[in-house]
Amino acid sequence: MKLSRRDALWAGLGGIATATLANPLFAKTVEELSADFTGGAVPGTGGITITAPEIAENGNTVPVSVNAPGAVAIMLLAAGNPTPAVATFAFGPAAGSQMAATRIRLATTQDVIALAKMADGSIVQAVATVKVTIGGCGG
Amino acid sequence: MISRREFLQASLAASAIVGVSGFGNWSRLSAQQALTEDQLLQFDDFGNVTLIHITDIHAQLKPIWFREPEWNIGVGDAKGKPPHVVGDAFAQMFNLTPGSAEAYALTHEDFVALGKTYGKMGGMDRVATVVKSIRAARPDALLLDGGDTWHGSMTSLLTNGQDMVNVMNALTPDAMTSHWEWTFGTERVQEIVENLPFAFLGANIFDAEWDEPAFEPYKIFERASTRIAVIGQAFPYMPIANPRWMFPEYSFGIREERMQAVVNEVREAGVDLVVCLSHNGFDVDQKMAARVQGIDVILTGHTHDAIPEPVLVGQTILIASGSNGKFVSRVDLDVRDGKMMGFRHKLIPIFADVITPDADMAALIDAERAPFKDQLEEKIGTTESLLYRRGNFQGTWDDLICDAVRSERDAQIALSPGVRWGPSLMPGDDITREDIHNATSMTYGQVYRTEMTGETLHAVLEDVADNLFNTDPYYQQGGDMVRVGGMGFAIDVSKPIGSRITNLALTDTGEAIDAAKSYTVAGWASVNEGTTGPQIWDVVEAHIRKLGTVKLDPNTSVSVTGL
């Protein structure tokens, strides 16, 4: 078989994709990720706001933002994704605000969880349910 | 000292008394065949501010029949409360006399018989008369249009909404918000909005790429020495319920925190009154009213509910003004020292045979229709059955449409969208081409034909049912259940998503639907780009021509439990 340059490129891209996409079989669960982040502390509520659409307009790119004044780190989890870890944001002492916004892909209707670690080591949590729907029939 | 809340409640009681006397009066008079325009318009001026609300006209320029729902199930906190009360229970709740004009206007009971007595409702020329009369009494009144105005008829489709734009420009509203307007596409909406002589508001319309506000969120009006902020809230689920590809530049959503921020902004600007002109749907507005602080009045729309009295949530009043030009709400408010101190309200029913058409508006409507008159009025068939759509399940219009789709597209199963628009036809009525369009008109009416597995069909029904019966209103999209031809099912509305729908079976044979098996399915109003097929109105027309006379048997294909 003769391998053309194009084929080689595709093979290469496939390799990159495999390398960057975490394999769901080995993905850490929400419990494991939370435990790693909290160090076992029980999350409280309040002092953290998660903003996400109730129903995703496009499950492939869902805008989510988290605001936790005074946080040193915020972890974002998509509980229903094959790989629940989305991102962890760290805030240094010079950070003007402790707020993060990103767009995430949601496989299905699920809870998006935000955990924030405060300077004193305490943890607060907020959850938003985002529905991913087939659509149509509105009226 | 009387608190604001006590004052509002006192006023609510007073308003209820006024409402009852107003309603009771014309109800009794109508029973004596003396329903008069003066009675319909009678209103003791109150306070200093007047709001006139009309919504969900769906391009109905002429008087129509419109049967209110027999099924309007409420779940969660909404259960058993208006608008989730229908028929005689609704009449009892609001002290309406069965068989009265008001019971005919607001419930489905004895619709055919009462229609013969009380006639058609709506017509924008009659609406114009009512609006002019209110403005004569209250020159500073604000006229606010809740949207779903440009879409819903053959003439609106053929003119890309221009007929409605012209008619509304003549009616001179002060502001509007939007939903089906967007199905004409971004370019057309922008073209109309650029030349619109009034505000096109949407605090929740954002640029999809930058997630920044894209339209005017509110407008502050100075009326009767009062500063009134009107905040627009467009239909939140535009890109989900309707084809996203038609307006890809924009994102919508409820955006409760945005609404609160905008309310705070106008409050800080020192307005005396905050009005939200909303296309959220009633249950969504009810939840929003409880969570967003500082809104005095929500003029609700989208779910087509007509409620004869305001619904009070905290210190916010919700006004539900029906659909299709059937009603106009007048809300008089006493606004002093930056506060709403009280209100008086009347849901004015537009009885077409009682209210004199405004001559200028009648002429304009006829001029808009003239180029298409022959096409519109061509008789396609006759109906022996009452044709209606509105209601949570099925409806005879959709039974007919599903029959047409199955037969013309040779499919085992037909799917028809659970939209809430589409007027009724009485037994014995001609079915004209315009009537077919009134029940089907849209910019994405292609009838697709495809194969779906039993599993997919189940998933579709579950998905749509959750849009209607999720106990959290913020997850409801405000349509009714998808209509199905050729297949029956059972639904337990009290269950969560995934377990509401059972007993799927083909109606022709009674054979149970097999999750793994494929079935031929045809339907219309797909939100997917590139859907191909004949237009739904052509499919329905071809079917009715073959039938000549439409006669529908009662539909027992859906069994509902969990009420």
mmCIF file of all heavy atoms in Angstrom, chain B residues 255-289:
data_model
loop_
_atom_site.group_PDB
_atom_site.id
_atom_site.type_symbol
_atom_site.label_atom_id
_atom_site.label_comp_id
_atom_site.label_asym_id
_atom_site.label_seq_id
_atom_site.Cartn_x
_atom_site.Cartn_y
_atom_site.Cartn_z
ATOM 1 N N ARG B 255 -32.441 34.106 30.780
ATOM 2 C CA ARG B 255 -31.471 35.096 31.274
ATOM 3 C C ARG B 255 -32.053 35.920 32.431
ATOM 4 O O ARG B 255 -32.103 37.150 32.389
ATOM 5 C CB ARG B 255 -31.014 36.014 30.133
ATOM 6 C CG ARG B 255 -30.295 35.255 29.018
ATOM 7 C CD ARG B 255 -29.860 36.188 27.905
ATOM 8 N NE ARG B 255 -29.316 35.450 26.772
ATOM 9 C CZ ARG B 255 -28.028 35.185 26.593
ATOM 10 N NH1 ARG B 255 -27.140 35.631 27.449
ATOM 11 N NH2 ARG B 255 -27.622 34.493 25.539
ATOM 12 N N GLU B 256 -32.458 35.187 33.449
ATOM 13 C CA GLU B 256 -33.078 35.830 34.613
ATOM 14 C C GLU B 256 -32.182 36.912 35.222
ATOM 15 O O GLU B 256 -32.647 37.997 35.602
ATOM 16 C CB GLU B 256 -33.356 34.721 35.637
ATOM 17 C CG GLU B 256 -34.064 35.143 36.863
ATOM 18 C CD GLU B 256 -34.124 33.981 37.849
ATOM 19 O OE1 GLU B 256 -35.048 33.159 37.739
ATOM 20 O OE2 GLU B 256 -33.225 33.884 38.717
ATOM 21 N N GLU B 257 -30.863 36.635 35.304
ATOM 22 C CA GLU B 257 -29.944 37.601 35.921
ATOM 23 C C GLU B 257 -29.832 38.872 35.067
ATOM 24 O O GLU B 257 -29.672 39.962 35.585
ATOM 25 C CB GLU B 257 -28.556 36.972 36.161
ATOM 26 C CG GLU B 257 -27.750 36.572 34.940
ATOM 27 C CD GLU B 257 -28.348 35.434 34.114
ATOM 28 O OE1 GLU B 257 -29.118 34.623 34.648
ATOM 29 O OE2 GLU B 257 -28.050 35.376 32.901
ATOM 30 N N ARG B 258 -29.985 38.706 33.767
ATOM 31 C CA ARG B 258 -29.998 39.854 32.872
ATOM 32 C C ARG B 258 -31.267 40.694 33.107
ATOM 33 O O ARG B 258 -31.203 41.922 33.169
ATOM 34 C CB ARG B 258 -29.926 39.349 31.421
ATOM 35 C CG ARG B 258 -30.370 40.331 30.364
ATOM 36 C CD ARG B 258 -29.360 41.421 30.107
ATOM 37 N NE ARG B 258 -29.743 42.244 28.960
ATOM 38 C CZ ARG B 258 -29.253 43.427 28.707
ATOM 39 N NH1 ARG B 258 -28.326 43.949 29.500
ATOM 40 N NH2 ARG B 258 -29.644 44.111 27.659
ATOM 41 N N MET B 259 -32.402 40.015 33.251
ATOM 42 C CA MET B 259 -33.655 40.735 33.515
ATOM 43 C C MET B 259 -33.533 41.540 34.813
ATOM 44 O O MET B 259 -33.909 42.715 34.869
ATOM 45 C CB MET B 259 -34.825 39.736 33.581
ATOM 46 C CG MET B 259 -36.180 40.352 33.869
ATOM 47 S SD MET B 259 -36.709 41.652 32.713
ATOM 48 C CE MET B 259 -36.974 40.699 31.211
ATOM 49 N N GLN B 260 -32.965 40.907 35.852
ATOM 50 C CA GLN B 260 -32.797 41.620 37.118
ATOM 51 C C GLN B 260 -31.886 42.836 36.938
ATOM 52 O O GLN B 260 -32.160 43.925 37.464
ATOM 53 C CB GLN B 260 -32.228 40.680 38.194
ATOM 54 C CG GLN B 260 -32.137 41.326 39.563
ATOM 55 C CD GLN B 260 -33.501 41.640 40.154
ATOM 56 O OE1 GLN B 260 -34.271 40.744 40.494
ATOM 57 N NE2 GLN B 260 -33.833 42.926 40.264
ATOM 58 N N ALA B 261 -30.815 42.651 36.168
ATOM 59 C CA ALA B 261 -29.867 43.757 35.952
ATOM 60 C C ALA B 261 -30.542 44.915 35.219
ATOM 61 O O ALA B 261 -30.325 46.090 35.543
ATOM 62 C CB ALA B 261 -28.649 43.252 35.165
ATOM 63 N N VAL B 262 -31.383 44.578 34.232
ATOM 64 C CA VAL B 262 -32.062 45.623 33.463
ATOM 65 C C VAL B 262 -33.097 46.334 34.340
ATOM 66 O O VAL B 262 -33.229 47.559 34.298
ATOM 67 C CB VAL B 262 -32.702 45.032 32.177
ATOM 68 C CG1 VAL B 262 -33.570 46.066 31.477
ATOM 69 C CG2 VAL B 262 -31.625 44.522 31.230
ATOM 70 N N VAL B 263 -33.826 45.559 35.157
ATOM 71 C CA VAL B 263 -34.795 46.176 36.083
ATOM 72 C C VAL B 263 -34.053 47.128 37.026
ATOM 73 O O VAL B 263 -34.478 48.276 37.230
ATOM 74 C CB VAL B 263 -35.569 45.100 36.889
ATOM 75 C CG1 VAL B 263 -36.423 45.752 37.980
ATOM 76 C CG2 VAL B 263 -36.447 44.269 35.964
ATOM 77 N N ASN B 264 -32.929 46.669 37.565
ATOM 78 C CA ASN B 264 -32.142 47.529 38.461
ATOM 79 C C ASN B 264 -31.696 48.803 37.742
ATOM 80 O O ASN B 264 -31.741 49.894 38.311
ATOM 81 C CB ASN B 264 -30.912 46.778 38.974
ATOM 82 C CG ASN B 264 -31.295 45.612 39.883
ATOM 83 O OD1 ASN B 264 -32.438 45.506 40.308
ATOM 84 N ND2 ASN B 264 -30.336 44.740 40.152
ATOM 85 N N GLU B 265 -31.285 48.639 36.494
ATOM 86 C CA GLU B 265 -30.797 49.782 35.711
ATOM 87 C C GLU B 265 -31.898 50.840 35.548
ATOM 88 O O GLU B 265 -31.654 52.028 35.757
ATOM 89 C CB GLU B 265 -30.323 49.275 34.346
ATOM 90 C CG GLU B 265 -29.643 50.330 33.477
ATOM 91 C CD GLU B 265 -29.187 49.728 32.143
ATOM 92 O OE1 GLU B 265 -28.724 48.565 32.127
ATOM 93 O OE2 GLU B 265 -29.312 50.426 31.120
ATOM 94 N N VAL B 266 -33.114 50.384 35.187
ATOM 95 C CA VAL B 266 -34.176 51.377 34.983
ATOM 96 C C VAL B 266 -34.662 51.947 36.316
ATOM 97 O O VAL B 266 -35.031 53.117 36.393
ATOM 98 C CB VAL B 266 -35.356 50.822 34.146
ATOM 99 C CG1 VAL B 266 -34.885 50.463 32.755
ATOM 100 C CG2 VAL B 266 -36.041 49.639 34.807
ATOM 101 N N ARG B 267 -34.626 51.138 37.365
ATOM 102 C CA ARG B 267 -34.994 51.649 38.691
ATOM 103 C C ARG B 267 -34.000 52.739 39.117
ATOM 104 O O ARG B 267 -34.399 53.775 39.647
ATOM 105 C CB ARG B 267 -35.007 50.522 39.729
ATOM 106 C CG ARG B 267 -36.204 49.579 39.632
ATOM 107 C CD ARG B 267 -37.455 50.191 40.258
ATOM 108 N NE ARG B 267 -38.628 49.331 40.101
ATOM 109 C CZ ARG B 267 -39.884 49.758 40.118
ATOM 110 N NH1 ARG B 267 -40.135 51.044 40.277
ATOM 111 N NH2 ARG B 267 -40.885 48.938 39.973
ATOM 112 N N GLU B 268 -32.715 52.454 38.865
ATOM 113 C CA GLU B 268 -31.701 53.451 39.213
ATOM 114 C C GLU B 268 -31.859 54.711 38.379
ATOM 115 O O GLU B 268 -31.516 55.812 38.810
ATOM 116 C CB GLU B 268 -30.294 52.860 39.046
ATOM 117 C CG GLU B 268 -29.864 52.039 40.262
ATOM 118 C CD GLU B 268 -28.800 51.001 39.926
ATOM 119 O OE1 GLU B 268 -28.025 51.234 38.974
ATOM 120 O OE2 GLU B 268 -28.759 49.953 40.609
ATOM 121 N N ALA B 269 -32.395 54.556 37.170
ATOM 122 C CA ALA B 269 -32.651 55.730 36.317
ATOM 123 C C ALA B 269 -33.880 56.502 36.808
ATOM 124 O O ALA B 269 -34.247 57.527 36.229
ATOM 125 C CB ALA B 269 -32.839 55.293 34.867
ATOM 126 N N GLY B 270 -34.518 55.981 37.854
ATOM 127 C CA GLY B 270 -35.594 56.736 38.508
ATOM 128 C C GLY B 270 -36.962 56.602 37.877
ATOM 129 O O GLY B 270 -37.800 57.493 38.024
ATOM 130 N N VAL B 271 -37.246 55.489 37.206
ATOM 131 C CA VAL B 271 -38.578 55.365 36.600
ATOM 132 C C VAL B 271 -39.616 55.125 37.698
ATOM 133 O O VAL B 271 -39.308 54.655 38.793
ATOM 134 C CB VAL B 271 -38.649 54.220 35.560
ATOM 135 C CG1 VAL B 271 -37.665 54.456 34.429
ATOM 136 C CG2 VAL B 271 -38.438 52.869 36.211
ATOM 137 N N ASP B 272 -40.876 55.449 37.363
ATOM 138 C CA ASP B 272 -41.961 55.290 38.329
ATOM 139 C C ASP B 272 -42.624 53.922 38.221
ATOM 140 O O ASP B 272 -43.276 53.461 39.142
ATOM 141 C CB ASP B 272 -43.023 56.371 38.085
ATOM 142 C CG ASP B 272 -42.435 57.762 38.207
ATOM 143 O OD1 ASP B 272 -41.993 58.106 39.309
ATOM 144 O OD2 ASP B 272 -42.397 58.489 37.190
ATOM 145 N N LEU B 273 -42.495 53.311 37.044
ATOM 146 C CA LEU B 273 -43.209 52.060 36.788
ATOM 147 C C LEU B 273 -42.348 51.187 35.878
ATOM 148 O O LEU B 273 -41.764 51.679 34.913
ATOM 149 C CB LEU B 273 -44.545 52.369 36.088
ATOM 150 C CG LEU B 273 -45.449 51.175 35.792
ATOM 151 C CD1 LEU B 273 -46.162 50.716 37.059
ATOM 152 C CD2 LEU B 273 -46.491 51.534 34.719
ATOM 153 N N VAL B 274 -42.273 49.883 36.208
ATOM 154 C CA VAL B 274 -41.525 48.947 35.363
ATOM 155 C C VAL B 274 -42.497 47.908 34.801
ATOM 156 O O VAL B 274 -43.151 47.177 35.544
ATOM 157 C CB VAL B 274 -40.395 48.245 36.144
ATOM 158 C CG1 VAL B 274 -39.687 47.223 35.264
ATOM 159 C CG2 VAL B 274 -39.396 49.273 36.672
ATOM 160 N N VAL B 275 -42.579 47.889 33.476
ATOM 161 C CA VAL B 275 -43.454 46.948 32.770
ATOM 162 C C VAL B 275 -42.575 46.004 31.969
ATOM 163 O O VAL B 275 -41.643 46.449 31.288
ATOM 164 C CB VAL B 275 -44.398 47.710 31.800
ATOM 165 C CG1 VAL B 275 -45.257 46.738 31.008
ATOM 166 C CG2 VAL B 275 -45.260 48.701 32.563
ATOM 167 N N CYS B 276 -42.846 44.701 32.057
ATOM 168 C CA CYS B 276 -42.126 43.747 31.218
ATOM 169 C C CYS B 276 -43.081 43.244 30.134
ATOM 170 O O CYS B 276 -44.126 42.668 30.442
ATOM 171 C CB CYS B 276 -41.597 42.582 32.052
ATOM 172 S SG CYS B 276 -40.757 41.350 31.046
ATOM 173 N N LEU B 277 -42.723 43.510 28.890
ATOM 174 C CA LEU B 277 -43.501 43.051 27.736
ATOM 175 C C LEU B 277 -42.874 41.730 27.308
ATOM 176 O O LEU B 277 -41.805 41.702 26.719
ATOM 177 C CB LEU B 277 -43.414 44.093 26.615
ATOM 178 C CG LEU B 277 -44.140 43.772 25.309
ATOM 179 C CD1 LEU B 277 -45.633 43.600 25.523
ATOM 180 C CD2 LEU B 277 -43.878 44.876 24.277
ATOM 181 N N SER B 278 -43.547 40.635 27.682
ATOM 182 C CA SER B 278 -42.870 39.340 27.657
ATOM 183 C C SER B 278 -43.478 38.359 26.669
ATOM 184 O O SER B 278 -44.694 38.296 26.490
ATOM 185 C CB SER B 278 -42.921 38.732 29.063
ATOM 186 O OG SER B 278 -42.520 37.389 29.036
ATOM 187 N N HIS B 279 -42.608 37.551 26.084
ATOM 188 C CA HIS B 279 -43.036 36.406 25.278
ATOM 189 C C HIS B 279 -42.494 35.112 25.901
ATOM 190 O O HIS B 279 -42.126 34.173 25.203
ATOM 191 C CB HIS B 279 -42.613 36.566 23.815
ATOM 192 C CG HIS B 279 -43.512 35.851 22.859
ATOM 193 N ND1 HIS B 279 -44.574 36.428 22.230
ATOM 194 C CD2 HIS B 279 -43.539 34.558 22.459
ATOM 195 C CE1 HIS B 279 -45.195 35.548 21.474
ATOM 196 N NE2 HIS B 279 -44.584 34.384 21.600
ATOM 197 N N ASN B 280 -42.408 35.106 27.229
ATOM 198 C CA ASN B 280 -41.891 33.937 27.950
ATOM 199 C C ASN B 280 -42.863 32.774 27.979
ATOM 200 O O ASN B 280 -42.452 31.615 28.099
ATOM 201 C CB ASN B 280 -41.635 34.304 29.420
ATOM 202 C CG ASN B 280 -40.241 34.863 29.652
ATOM 203 O OD1 ASN B 280 -39.330 34.649 28.871
ATOM 204 N ND2 ASN B 280 -40.090 35.575 30.752
ATOM 205 N N GLY B 281 -44.151 33.059 27.950
ATOM 206 C CA GLY B 281 -45.158 32.063 28.288
ATOM 207 C C GLY B 281 -45.571 32.267 29.746
ATOM 208 O O GLY B 281 -44.768 32.722 30.568
ATOM 209 N N PHE B 282 -46.832 31.921 30.071
ATOM 210 C CA PHE B 282 -47.384 32.307 31.368
ATOM 211 C C PHE B 282 -46.627 31.706 32.542
ATOM 212 O O PHE B 282 -46.290 32.401 33.503
ATOM 213 C CB PHE B 282 -48.877 31.956 31.468
ATOM 214 C CG PHE B 282 -49.517 32.601 32.657
ATOM 215 C CD1 PHE B 282 -50.017 33.887 32.573
ATOM 216 C CD2 PHE B 282 -49.555 31.964 33.885
ATOM 217 C CE1 PHE B 282 -50.565 34.522 33.674
ATOM 218 C CE2 PHE B 282 -50.103 32.586 34.998
ATOM 219 C CZ PHE B 282 -50.606 33.867 34.882
ATOM 220 N N ASP B 283 -46.355 30.397 32.492
ATOM 221 C CA ASP B 283 -45.720 29.754 33.655
ATOM 222 C C ASP B 283 -44.302 30.272 33.879
ATOM 223 O O ASP B 283 -43.855 30.424 35.013
ATOM 224 C CB ASP B 283 -45.701 28.231 33.476
ATOM 225 C CG ASP B 283 -47.102 27.628 33.557
ATOM 226 O OD1 ASP B 283 -48.060 28.382 33.824
ATOM 227 O OD2 ASP B 283 -47.237 26.410 33.344
ATOM 228 N N VAL B 284 -43.587 30.527 32.789
ATOM 229 C CA VAL B 284 -42.231 31.069 32.909
ATOM 230 C C VAL B 284 -42.301 32.461 33.534
ATOM 231 O O VAL B 284 -41.523 32.791 34.437
ATOM 232 C CB VAL B 284 -41.517 31.114 31.530
ATOM 233 C CG1 VAL B 284 -40.149 31.767 31.659
ATOM 234 C CG2 VAL B 284 -41.386 29.704 30.955
ATOM 235 N N ASP B 285 -43.267 33.258 33.084
ATOM 236 C CA ASP B 285 -43.414 34.604 33.651
ATOM 237 C C ASP B 285 -43.783 34.550 35.128
ATOM 238 O O ASP B 285 -43.333 35.372 35.925
ATOM 239 C CB ASP B 285 -44.479 35.393 32.884
ATOM 240 C CG ASP B 285 -43.908 36.042 31.639
ATOM 241 O OD1 ASP B 285 -42.735 36.457 31.678
ATOM 242 O OD2 ASP B 285 -44.618 36.124 30.626
ATOM 243 N N GLN B 286 -44.614 33.574 35.476
ATOM 244 C CA GLN B 286 -45.027 33.449 36.873
ATOM 245 C C GLN B 286 -43.813 33.159 37.754
ATOM 246 O O GLN B 286 -43.661 33.725 38.827
ATOM 247 C CB GLN B 286 -46.073 32.346 36.993
ATOM 248 C CG GLN B 286 -46.726 32.295 38.344
ATOM 249 C CD GLN B 286 -48.134 31.720 38.276
ATOM 250 O OE1 GLN B 286 -49.135 32.439 38.319
ATOM 251 N NE2 GLN B 286 -48.207 30.425 38.150
ATOM 252 N N LYS B 287 -42.931 32.269 37.261
ATOM 253 C CA LYS B 287 -41.716 31.969 38.032
ATOM 254 C C LYS B 287 -40.785 33.190 38.059
ATOM 255 O O LYS B 287 -40.237 33.549 39.091
ATOM 256 C CB LYS B 287 -41.002 30.754 37.431
ATOM 257 C CG LYS B 287 -39.710 30.425 38.180
ATOM 258 C CD LYS B 287 -39.063 29.120 37.735
ATOM 259 C CE LYS B 287 -37.709 28.952 38.421
ATOM 260 N NZ LYS B 287 -36.996 27.738 38.001
ATOM 261 N N MET B 288 -40.635 33.820 36.901
ATOM 262 C CA MET B 288 -39.732 34.974 36.822
ATOM 263 C C MET B 288 -40.212 36.101 37.749
ATOM 264 O O MET B 288 -39.404 36.772 38.397
ATOM 265 C CB MET B 288 -39.629 35.462 35.373
ATOM 266 C CG MET B 288 -38.520 36.478 35.150
ATOM 267 S SD MET B 288 -38.347 36.948 33.415
ATOM 268 C CE MET B 288 -39.615 38.202 33.313
ATOM 269 N N ALA B 289 -41.529 36.284 37.817
ATOM 270 C CA ALA B 289 -42.084 37.350 38.666
ATOM 271 C C ALA B 289 -41.730 37.122 40.128
ATOM 272 O O ALA B 289 -41.557 38.070 40.890
ATOM 273 C CB ALA B 289 -43.603 37.414 38.496
#
